[in-house]
Amino acid sequence: MRKVVLMLLSGIVLLACKKQEVNIIPVPMQVVQEKGNFNINKSTRILIDTDDSVAFKVATYFQNLLKSKGLILELDKVVNFPDLKNAIYFTKKGFVDSLGVEGYMLTVNTGNITICANSGSGYFYAVQTLRQLMPMGFESANANYSRLSVPCVRIIDKPTFGWRGLNLDCCRHFMSKDFVKRYIDLLAYHKMNILHWHLTEDQGWRIEIKKYPKLTEVGAWRQLADGTEYGGYYTQDDIREIVAYAAERYVNIVPEIEMPGHSVAALASYPQLSCTGEPLKVETNWGVFKDIYCAGNEFTFTFLQDVLTEVADLFPFPYIHIGGDEAPKYRWENCPKCRARLKSQKLKNYEELQQYFISRIAKFLETKGRRIIGWDEILEGGRPHNATVQAWRGMDRVDSAVFAGAPVIVSPTSHCYFDYPVDVIDLRKVYSFNPIPDGISVQQKKLILGGECNMWTEHAPQKTVDSKLFPRMLALSEVLWSYPKVRSYDKFLERVRRHYGRLSNMGVNYGFEQSAVKVNSQLSADAKSITVSIERGQENLEIFYTIDGAEPITKSIKYKKPFVLKESATVKAVAFLNNSRVGEVFTREFVLSKSTGKNVKLGFAPATKYMGGGLQALVDGRKGTEAYNDGIWQAVQGSDMVATVDLGKSQPISTVSVGFLQSNPSWIFIPKQVDFFTSVGGTDFTLVGTVLSPVKAEDEGLIRHDFTLNVKGINCRYVRMVACSIGNCPDWHPAAGSPSWLFAEEISIY
Ligand code: ACM
Ligand code: ZN
């Protein structure tokens, strides 16, 4: 009995001594936690120096924040060295200049709090840090405190990158004004400072332009299959309100007005803007469309300049994004006006015509004191006038931009596309993001402004956006703000898990850290077996799997440890939480054949984005899923695919097979045919058969097809496949004339 009392007592002592948690995301540059707490209560005063107007602004924001949580504090202006007893003091005195514009020092003692910065943003970020030092419940909508305990700390902090953004696509799905404001708060809370607001698209024009009312009367609405009109737009008053809201939170808004492509909603509103002038409907499908603004028509420039004049009046930030991505040149090539422009401007090709188009817009915007940003395609005809580049297709595009001398915003599909499922980009992957490519000079590094995550919303209506952006945005905010030199994902993950309570209290419906089921595999050194291990997306999930292709249920094998496959098999796995299924069944086909683990030599350069796991991916024993970006498919754009497998020694073979994918909205087509060749010595190859595709380019949906040839009786050491691309996207295709893709997986030889 006495022992129990003692244990209880020591528990109380332990509790009393336990330091209040400090867990700030993004992690500050320097944090020293000290003993004790400061208690904010009703008599705590907020103090600012008399002449510090930016401190007044942020201190008022802070005062209102506390008021919304039940604590009404006085805000006083003071001179010289005020009495700091029970005070929260915003001051520039003692600021270390090397902390820069956004840096701050935050000191919490038992008697007071000092917030030291020399700019509004510095003060503001100190307040965000202070907010994360408050009890978890502070973020609840119905929080009502009469006292708030803050742990004693000394924090010195500043960001590494000045550009820390989110690109929110409010076109594919319209997002309400309040939702956009909520995201401004969420960005600010995580010290992100850019909302790149994607406002015009094929599927909807979302910004009121007084001079061209049809842009929103017609262009803001698309017709769903059931005939209903779907869409919405922001009035200029809405926009002014949002811009002011963002400014108060030190978030700059970069509006994106897409040109020359992704503009069908504008062309549907004013058909005279297109090359054909024919009526169009606001797009209801996702993809890239060949109808773009006519570059030969002067009205296009008059229109865009009028639009951008109103845009520049609404958005004070010096940058305006003009898109510039995914603009097929098919219409221009076939348009007399565009051809005449090409000639009159003495341009060599249609990429140069795009450069002319964008430079003309950039020069116009310069007269309004604005600079343009464009997606990395804008470099294809030469860097447009004074353009900043947003690199998206890969880190190699960052290299191209800095070599062209352009400032860059880094947001590659490999790490920053948060519309992609966590199966493709998980939290760990985002946390490993490095916006600075290897091998660039110190001077070139200075051109890297920072990064953004992209939230494209083709498959993400407003209600699903939280689960795509969180928790991944926590990782991005830490990469861009803190840029930790040593990154321990496991430690970061622990901190993320401690942060979830705050997100929940803010009503953030965050998603998974990684796919509910993640199947990993390792081919044995002799390539005779594959060891499969399965990771769970969250700690409390149970995984069940099958290896015979059957749907897994809770009666299937419960995953406990890695298992070994000695022959080809289809592994299906699914997660359960408290006996309820979570997410989709994950399927991976493994093949063990004569070619598995042998050497393959590629006669093409796989796209860096779609390497399939490396140069040996076509013989690694793993077959792709229906997701082209699943990391298994290996791809090339605009060429055939040639690959030669070396079996190591001559031997009889009976079947050869290779898999391809078609997803024509993504410009991916099954090859017209695959030719198979064999050789004994590796120099002279004999054609042993051609397999024609049964799939037509027009065939819709996700189609996987294995090209298989019976080669019984052949003895060889080398097998070569040549897959013949269909060439450019066909005339009927929305991206007509653009080079198509081939996506291949496993070459199996039996
Ligand atoms: C893009 O994802 N098309 C920039
Ligand atoms: Zn034209």
Side-chain angles (χ1 to χ4, degrees):
M1 177 68 186
R2 250 183 80 180
K3 215 168 159 187
V4 172
V5 172
L6 265 179
M7 275 170 63
L8 277 174
L9 274 175
S10 62
I12 291 164
V13 173
L14 262 179
L15 266 180
C17 291
K18 201 173 160 219
K19 282 184 182 166
Q20 197 173 325
E21 180 173 85
V22 174
N23 181 41
I24 296 149
I25 296 179
V27 69
M29 189 167 76
Q30 210 183 91
V31 184
V32 180
Q33 185 168 8
E34 290 176 340
K35 267 213 229 125
N37 301 305
F38 174 72
N39 286 314
I40 305 176
N41 55 38
K42 291 198 163 139
S43 22
T44 305
R45 289 180 315 147
I46 303 173
L47 305 181
I48 58 162
D49 295 319
T50 313
D51 53 356
D52 194 345
S53 58
V54 286
F56 179 72
K57 201 172 134 196
V58 180
T60 306
Y61 161 89
F62 181 56
Q63 186 188 31
N64 288 333
L65 180 68
L66 290 178
K67 192 169 158 193
S68 70
K69 310 293 176 184
L71 266 169
I72 299 177
L73 304 197
E74 213 176 274
L75 167 58
D76 293 329
K77 293 186 176 173
V78 294
V79 283
N80 295 330
F81 295 95
D83 174 12
L84 293 184
K85 193 154 175 283
N86 197 13
I88 301 171
Y89 180 34
F90 289 76
T91 188
K92 290 183 175 156
K93 289 200 277 281
F95 183 75
V96 176
D97 286 340
S98 61
L99 293 177
V101 183
E102 295 181 297
Y104 65 90
M105 289 140 62
L106 169 69
T107 309
V108 181
N109 295 315
T110 50
N112 57 49
I113 296 177
T114 309
I115 291 172
C116 185
N118 73 350
S119 70
S121 51
Y123 286 133
F124 183 79
Y125 291 130
V127 166
Q128 298 312 315
T129 294
L130 184 54
R131 216 170 139 174
Q132 290 196 27
L133 291 170
M134 306 275 192
M136 195 74 83
F138 185 79
E139 300 306 337
S140 296
N142 53 6
N144 188 13
Y145 287 92
S146 55
R147 194 183 70 97
L148 280 163
S149 167
V150 184
C152 290
V153 282
R154 276 183 290 125
I155 293 179
I156 300 176
D157 201 9
K158 69 169 187 179
T160 299
F161 294 101
W163 194 286
R164 306 178 300 277
L166 158 69
N167 166 26
L168 186 62
D169 169 8
C170 293
C171 298
R172 272 50 178 261
H173 287 284
F174 180 68
M175 313 272 156
S176 74
K177 183 172 74 180
D178 285 343
F179 184 81
V180 176
K181 284 180 162 176
R182 176 172 170 269
Y183 259 92
I184 289 167
D185 280 317
L186 287 167
L187 287 174
Y189 189 70
H190 297 101
K191 301 191 176 79
M192 307 271 284
N193 62 356
I194 298 283
L195 174 66
H196 164 177
W197 199 6
H198 191 72
L199 286 169
T200 72
E201 253 307 333
D202 301 309
Q203 297 84 4
W205 182 283
R206 305 283 174 231
I207 169 172
E208 179 189 27
I209 299 295
K210 302 275 189 202
K211 193 153 185 186
Y212 298 100
K214 282 198 201 151
L215 286 171
T216 41
E217 285 163 18
V218 175
W221 308 96
R222 65 173 183 265
Q223 202 167 49
L224 300 183
D226 65 3
T228 52
E229 297 273 303
Y230 180 89
Y233 65 93
Y234 308 98
T235 65
Q236 294 203 349
D237 282 344
D238 290 338
I239 289 171
R240 276 187 279 269
E241 186 182 324
I242 289 171
V243 168
Y245 191 85
E248 221 183 295
R249 286 151 184 82
Y250 294 88
V251 171
N252 294 302
I253 303 190
V254 180
E256 183 177 352
I257 308 296
E258 271 264 15
M259 64 191 76
H262 286 292
S263 50
V264 172
L267 308 185
S269 311
Y270 294 95
Q272 62 270 45
L273 291 165
S274 78
C275 287
T276 66
E278 280 170 14
L280 287 167
K281 285 207 158 62
V282 177
E283 263 305 333
T284 51
N285 293 315
W286 313 130
V288 170
F289 301 94
K290 60 178 171 285
D291 285 298
I292 68 175
Y293 289 114
C294 177
N297 182 353
E298 272 309 293
F299 177 60
T300 297
F301 293 96
T302 307
F303 166 85
L304 286 172
Q305 289 178 9
D306 289 343
V307 166
L308 290 169
T309 298
E310 293 192 33
V311 169
D313 285 346
L314 288 166
F315 294 95
F317 196 52
Y319 289 89
I320 292 181
H321 204 302
I322 53 73
D325 60 320
E326 298 181 320
K329 305 299 181 298
Y330 181 81
R331 289 290 191 222
W332 288 2
E333 284 159 9
N334 293 290
C335 168
K337 285 191 231 152
C338 287
R339 283 209 295 260
R341 177 84 76 192
L342 192 86
K343 218 166 147 200
S344 70
Q345 293 297 320
K346 302 190 172 53
L347 305 173
K348 286 202 286 293
N349 53 42
Y350 289 89
E351 275 66 44
E352 287 193 1
L353 182 57
Q354 172 152 332
Q355 197 268 4
Y356 160 86
F357 188 118
I358 290 175
S359 281
R360 204 170 146 176
I361 295 294
K363 285 178 191 156
F364 170 75
L365 279 172
E366 198 168 58
T367 67
K368 306 262 164 210
R370 300 297 198 279
R371 299 184 58 165
I372 64 151
I373 304 170
W375 297 104
D376 57 51
E377 287 94 329
I378 64 165
L379 290 175
E380 283 169 4
R383 180 186 171 204
H385 180 71
N386 219 10
T388 293
V389 171
Q390 181 156 11
W392 72 279
R393 288 178 293 177
M395 289 304 287
D396 52 336
R397 310 294 166 157
V398 183
D399 292 327
S400 317
V402 297
F403 283 114
V408 203
I409 297 152
V410 187
S411 62
T413 48
S414 54
H415 295 79
C416 296
Y417 269 50
F418 292 1
D419 55 323
Y420 290 8
V422 285
D423 314 29
V424 178
I425 300 179
D426 60 18
L427 186 64
R428 182 191 291 272
K429 178 99 186 177
V430 181
Y431 199 59
S432 73
F433 175 46
N434 184 359
I436 303 177
D438 292 337
I440 63 170
S441 69
V442 174
Q443 237 16 57
Q444 288 168 332
K445 263 187 204 166
K446 290 190 186 142
L447 291 169
I448 295 177
L449 304 182
E452 285 184 11
C453 53
N454 287 315
M455 183 62 238
W456 301 113
T457 58
E458 286 94 332
H459 308 288
Q462 181 177 301
K463 66 176 189 310
T464 65
V465 168
D466 279 9
S467 67
K468 299 231 168 218
L469 285 179
F470 287 97
R472 290 184 283 192
M473 200 145 76
L474 304 178
L476 187 76
S477 78
E478 188 149 308
V479 168
L480 295 176
W481 176 280
S482 324
Y483 194 55
K485 300 234 165 6
V486 181
R487 290 185 210 172
S488 159
Y489 175 70
D490 292 338
K491 289 199 175 121
F492 172 69
L493 186 57
E494 264 175 43
R495 293 193 293 115
V496 167
R497 289 180 177 167
R498 283 189 269 135
H499 194 79
Y500 281 146
R502 292 180 193 274
L503 294 182
S504 297
N505 287 339
M506 290 182 205
V508 175
N509 191 12
Y510 56 88
F512 279 9
E513 295 146 2
Q514 60 178 37
S515 31
V517 177
K518 188 168 176 210
V519 173
N520 305 309
S521 59
Q522 179 71 46
L523 188 63
S524 62
D526 63 2
K528 296 250 182 318
S529 66
I530 294 172
T531 302
V532 179
S533 60
I534 307 181
E535 283 177 59
R536 296 170 294 174
Q538 284 324 3
E539 276 173 322
N540 42 3
L541 298 177
E542 289 184 310
I543 308 286
F544 295 88
Y545 71 94
T546 61
I547 55 168
D548 58 2
E551 283 297 283
I553 50 174
T554 46
K555 290 205 182 81
S556 310
I557 314 164
K558 184 169 171 178
Y559 180 78
K560 293 206 179 97
K561 59 179 191 343
F563 55 94
V564 177
L565 300 175
K566 293 215 159 91
E567 55 194 50
S568 301
T570 298
V571 173
K572 291 194 173 196
V574 71
F576 280 83
L577 180 63
N578 304 329
N579 288 326
S580 296
R581 203 177 107 167
V582 177
E584 303 297 316
V585 171
F586 180 88
T587 304
R588 159 110 323 121
E589 278 177 66
F590 292 101
V591 284
L592 285 163
S593 78
K594 286 188 163 141
S595 49
T596 314
K598 295 295 186 314
N599 193 50
V600 64
K601 211 166 168 184
L602 304 180
F604 63 95
T608 47
K609 268 197 296 186
Y610 308 112
M611 289 294 289
L615 295 175
Q616 297 299 307
L618 291 180
V619 289
D620 67 1
R622 303 178 302 163
K623 285 181 72 82
T625 61
E626 286 188 343
Y628 65 84
N629 51 7
D630 66 1
I632 305 291
W633 292 97
Q634 192 168 66
V636 69
Q637 187 179 21
S639 90
D640 293 340
M641 262 187 183
V642 182
T644 309
V645 179
D646 177 358
L647 294 172
K649 59 178 194 301
S650 255
Q651 56 197 284
I653 60 170
S654 56
T655 316
V656 290
S657 181
V658 58
F660 281 89
L661 181 75
Q662 177 153 309
S663 169
N664 62 27
S666 305
W667 313 13
I668 303 170
F669 294 88
I670 298 263
K672 281 188 299 206
Q673 66 185 58
V674 176
D675 298 327
F676 290 101
F677 300 80
T678 58
S679 169
V680 174
T683 40
D684 299 324
F685 280 82
T686 311
L687 176 68
V688 289
T690 290
V691 185
L692 299 176
S693 171
V695 179
K696 291 200 280 302
E698 293 86 340
D699 289 348
E700 290 176 3
L702 288 160
I703 304 167
R704 290 170 61 192
H705 180 69
D706 285 343
F707 288 77
T708 304
L709 182 70
N710 186 335
V711 287
K712 221 172 173 114
I714 287 182
N715 218 59
C716 65
R717 173 170 167 180
Y718 299 92
V719 175
R720 174 173 292 167
M721 70 102 183
V722 178
C724 306
S725 154
I726 65 151
N728 288 341
C729 296
D731 284 355
W732 54 265
H733 190 269
S738 300
S740 70
W741 286 86
L742 285 176
F743 272 66
E745 53 159 21
E746 211 57 18
I747 300 172
S748 318
I749 303 172
Y750 297 96

